[in-house]
Amino acid sequence: MDTWEDFDREARTVESFTKAQLLERVQLLQDAVGLFADGFLIANNSDTTDVNKAKMGLLSQNFNTLKCAVDLALRGYYLQSMNLLRYVYENWIAFHYLIKKPEKARVLLDGRINKRLPCHSVMLDELGDDDFLKRQKKDWYNVLCCFAHPHAAGLLPLISNTFVPGETSIHFGTTYENERFRASAYSISIWTGVMLDEVGLWIPTTNEWYQKRTILAEKILIFIDEYNKGRLA
């Protein structure tokens, strides 16, 4: 018995089943992350200042993280895919912090492990958002932290009292769950959409990339609206 291969086979089966059941949603995520990659290929990188290199590095890290989040969601690791989105959010805040304070870019390029940007709350205060937007960002962060830290949101889906009557069982590995995939896809599509706006800052407005982004943004908004209506129903 090869335990690793068994679990990997199970994950591949979940991925195939997900694509068969929810192809439109899978395609949306793949198209969104693909357009993010296209943005890097088109982006004007003639600016070699420290702040530009640091900002592009944050976007690059977010691309890789979003790609991993999609891969995990497809294979049924829904909680882990949500976990990764906190890092996307933190890099997004750091990206805007560097716009406000470009001199801080040297901290990210220093290379010493004890050098780092201020904590999330400090950077958030420095951005100068109005109270409503600041509260909204804090709410986003608190939700994402539920999946990145020990919390009921990450534990309860793995504990079942119904699988075996009268017994508590702990689930490990991966199983296809329609609603959990949709929840992951919902969050991933939102944050990919946000990051498309940021990479667009380096792309000439006349490039056809913007037309593709507009079409994709409409699809993301339709999915978000449908998902929210389904939760309220």
Side-chain angles (χ1 to χ4, degrees):
M1 177 179 177
D2 189 331
T3 304
W4 175 271
E5 183 58 35
D6 288 341
F7 279 105
D8 196 51
R9 187 184 304 109
E10 183 180 69
R12 292 196 301 269
T13 299
V14 170
E15 181 175 6
S16 297
F17 193 73
T18 302
K19 290 177 178 178
Q21 294 296 310
L22 295 169
L23 181 59
E24 184 179 355
R25 298 299 167 229
V26 172
Q27 194 66 57
L28 178 65
L29 295 180
Q30 293 176 338
D31 288 348
V33 174
L35 192 62
F36 194 176
D38 290 341
F40 275 104
L41 296 175
I42 301 167
N44 179 0
N45 288 316
S46 60
D47 182 352
T48 58
T49 59
D50 282 353
V51 66
N52 194 62
K53 287 187 289 187
K55 284 159 60 182
M56 287 297 287
L58 289 169
L59 291 187
S60 175
Q61 189 177 37
N62 273 2
F63 167 78
N64 290 338
T65 302
L66 287 165
K67 173 63 169 61
C68 288
V70 173
D71 289 343
L72 287 171
L74 287 176
R75 290 186 155 218
Y77 294 103
Y78 310 116
L79 297 174
Q80 287 69 31
S81 73
M82 294 289 289
N83 185 327
L84 291 178
L85 297 180
R86 193 192 75 162
Y87 303 111
V88 174
Y89 168 87
E90 290 179 336
N91 280 349
W92 177 63
I93 293 296
F95 179 91
H96 284 276
Y97 178 74
L98 292 183
I99 292 176
K100 187 94 172 178
K101 293 185 172 291
E103 71 279 4
K104 297 294 185 180
R106 64 179 181 272
V107 175
L108 292 179
L109 303 177
D110 185 276
R112 285 176 288 180
I113 196 168
N114 63 333
K115 293 287 187 178
R116 61 186 65 188
L117 293 177
C119 67
H120 164 260
S121 60
V122 172
M123 289 194 290
L124 202 56
D125 287 338
E126 293 282 357
L127 293 183
D129 295 328
D130 60 48
D131 289 341
F132 174 78
L133 186 54
K134 186 183 291 186
R135 275 198 311 274
Q136 191 175 48
K137 288 179 177 178
K138 286 181 177 178
D139 287 344
W140 294 341
Y141 184 65
N142 289 335
V143 169
L144 294 173
C145 281
C146 291
F147 297 94
H149 299 305
H151 190 277
L155 291 181
L156 290 180
L158 305 177
I159 302 173
S160 173
N161 295 310
T162 60
F163 186 71
V164 178
E167 294 184 14
T168 297
S169 58
I170 306 299
H171 175 74
F172 59 100
T174 176
T175 305
Y176 172 78
E177 294 186 46
N178 182 297
E179 287 307 310
R180 293 200 182 282
F181 174 79
R182 284 170 56 81
S184 291
Y186 169 82
S187 298
I188 294 169
S189 64
I190 289 174
W191 284 104
T192 308
V194 169
M195 298 317 302
L196 286 173
D197 287 342
E198 308 303 358
V199 76
L201 297 174
W202 280 272
I203 299 173
T205 56
T206 54
N207 193 285
E208 65 175 358
W209 183 90
Y210 278 95
Q211 295 175 323
K212 295 178 181 178
R213 190 194 69 172
T214 298
I215 294 170
L216 188 63
E218 290 176 356
K219 292 181 179 179
I220 290 174
L221 289 174
I222 289 171
F223 172 46
I224 290 171
D225 186 54
E226 289 176 350
Y227 181 83
N228 287 330
K229 286 179 179 177
R231 292 179 65 190
L232 295 173

